[in-house]
Amino acid sequence: MNSKLLPLSLLAALCLGSAHAQKTTSSGSTFSAAGKKAKVFATAANTELRLSAGEDLAFQPTGQPLETQVCVFVYPKNTFQTMLGIGGALTDASAETFAKLPKPQQQEFLKAYYSPTAGIGYTLARTTIHSSDFSSGSYTYVADKDAGLKTFSVKHDEQFRIPFIKQAMAAAGGKLTLYASPWSPPAWMKDSGTMLRGGKLLPQYRQAWADYYVKFIKAYEQLGIPIWGLTVQNEPMATQKWESCIFTGEEERDFIKGYLGPTLQKGGLGNKKLIAWDHNRDLLVQRASAVLDDPQAAKYVWGIGYHWYETWTGSAMLFDNVRRVHEAYPNKNLIFTEGCVENFKLDRVNDWALGERYGMSMIGDFNGGTVGWTDWNVLLDETGGPNHVGNFCFAPIIADTKAGKLIYTNAYYYIGHFSKFIRPGARRISASSNRDVLQTTAFRNPDGSLAVVVMNQTDKPLDFQLWIDGQAAKTTSAAHSIMTMVL
């Protein structure tokens, strides 16, 4: 990794505490910016700034702001959801691509994502239950028509994916919050007779399919990979050309309460976090209602997962739907389970819009009440794959496997403005801007430090004041930039 782009001093001056060692600051606790300085880290278009440290900001007493003064206001006393973590998916495609890299680039990659000091400190991960489109081909863990699952084995994953996950865990300090998602039951369990192109789970295999999740979790845990949670079905309303399976809201509800929930409990896995929906924000409110309005289903569900691909309809990202679910079901959790930029082209790896899509989504999702945010593939090759149906996409880091080098898109740095400075156990606090061109969110970390993220997607720089309870510091948001201020 270019040390010029990731200075060694990136966090040397910060003392961000462990989420496990310190208690989260409770609502109503005091915080004063008086006499303090904020450390500034910035990434900006048409510059060499990439998570780069800038000059500290000094706070001064400031009276009532005028409407002509551009401000980002932060109120640490107003606290909201607690951060679970930020990370990306450890897929077959990522694992296979990783295996093709020379050892030095493998170590560079692991450090870049999982080191909280030299990298961006990922703490959350997703993986697949057998194949997805981002595999080299379709496969399952059982023999054809084995409804008793006597042949169940994850041996396929031992070649690439399991060693890859173990190395990511080690690079993250030995612990990674990992959850798993299925794209389709085996073909013989479905009315369509194929894992691809949608279809539905046959009623006679509901119990066998529920047992399959338990087998997967136990197999991975026996191999030293703890599974924190699982989603019921990836994108249950999409008939895709790759592995896919349709569940209506009522069908997902009934599968949870009649089969999957009780089967997890019976298998001694009742502590695993079960996530419903796992599809786009467009139907988020409807699906949450279908599942969570039934107490017998809701009791098994930790939260609702969602993706950002509602934009395929021409819609903007529907952050209000995230907020509506949080308002309606405040005792359940929201987690972003997948997002990537589609239609990969190698000549677009320096496109600045890649990162801005991440920044906009993460700010909107966190402000809507989301507790965890998971990118899709952490690594893909120079084709945007491997993908066995040609659905090639971008990842924050692309491996040029022919040259044996890593290409960092600006999406990597944009995500890092959150994952590096907002740690597990952090509480979101009130942050707002008096100009729509400055998007912002803020968190208070377990050690008491504040991290305020500000993004500017316009072509013009904008001077503003970071205002905290009568104390303010002057700074500038560069054109097409994101900055994190820590104090």
Side-chain angles (χ1 to χ4, degrees), residues 389-425:
V389 292
N391 181 34
F392 301 119
C393 296
F394 286 87
I397 299 179
I398 297 294
D400 183 340
T401 59
K402 296 174 182 176
K405 67 177 184 178
L406 298 175
I407 301 168
Y408 294 81
T409 75
N410 73 318
Y412 167 81
Y413 300 103
Y414 268 70
I415 296 169
H417 275 275
F418 301 86
S419 61
K420 189 174 185 71
F421 305 107
I422 302 168
R423 304 302 292 165

Side-chain angles (χ1 to χ4, degrees), residues 148-319:
L149 309 185
K150 293 178 181 178
T151 59
F152 190 96
S153 170
V154 297
K155 189 169 183 60
H156 172 281
D157 298 357
E158 292 181 15
Q159 183 178 7
F160 295 115
R161 197 193 329 162
I162 286 171
F164 179 55
I165 292 173
K166 287 185 174 181
Q167 289 188 69
M169 287 172 55
K175 186 176 188 292
L176 198 57
T177 301
L178 176 68
Y179 63 99
S181 304
W183 265 238
S184 171
W188 52 269
M189 288 190 184
K190 298 171 67 180
D191 61 4
S192 59
T194 175
M195 293 177 72
L196 314 182
R197 300 180 296 279
K200 290 194 175 188
L201 177 66
L202 288 165
Q204 63 265 36
Y205 292 122
R206 287 172 184 156
Q207 186 57 57
W209 184 227
D211 292 337
Y212 201 101
Y213 297 74
V214 171
K215 290 271 192 181
F216 171 83
I217 293 170
K218 290 186 174 180
Y220 262 55
E221 293 196 334
Q222 285 170 2
L223 291 169
I225 299 175
I227 303 295
W228 168 85
L230 65 157
T231 74
V232 180
Q233 168 64 44
N234 178 72
E235 299 186 347
M237 287 306 297
T239 299
Q240 307 282 25
K241 62 182 178 181
W242 53 85
E243 288 85 338
S244 45
C245 185
I246 303 300
F247 283 82
T248 66
E250 293 73 23
E251 288 166 343
E252 184 174 14
R253 174 199 68 197
D254 293 346
F255 180 61
I256 290 169
K257 72 177 181 179
Y259 297 91
L260 186 53
T263 301
L264 289 168
Q265 293 275 11
K266 186 179 178 181
L269 303 176
N271 63 328
K272 303 303 179 186
K273 306 301 188 288
L274 185 59
I275 300 164
W277 187 223
D278 198 10
H279 202 169
N280 297 330
R281 299 185 190 96
D282 50 5
L283 295 179
L284 186 62
V285 177
Q286 186 271 335
R287 182 58 58 110
S289 176
V291 173
L292 298 179
D293 285 352
D294 185 318
Q296 294 306 307
K299 69 180 181 181
Y300 295 114
V301 176
W302 173 84
I304 305 294
Y306 64 93
H307 302 178
W308 73 14
Y309 308 112
E310 67 270 18
T311 53
W312 76 270
T313 65
S315 171
M317 290 185 179
L318 299 170
F319 300 118

Side-chain angles (χ1 to χ4, degrees), residues 101-118:
L101 286 169
K103 291 292 183 185
Q105 281 66 44
Q106 289 183 347
Q107 293 306 307
E108 176 189 334
F109 167 87
L110 292 168
K111 185 183 293 184
Y113 269 126
Y114 297 102
S115 170
T117 50

Side-chain angles (χ1 to χ4, degrees), residues 56-60 62 69 463-466 472-476:
D56 291 355
L57 306 181
F59 284 83
Q60 303 292 337
T62 308
Q69 293 176 299
D463 296 335
F464 72 96
Q465 294 186 84
L466 178 61
K474 295 180 179 179
T475 187
T476 300

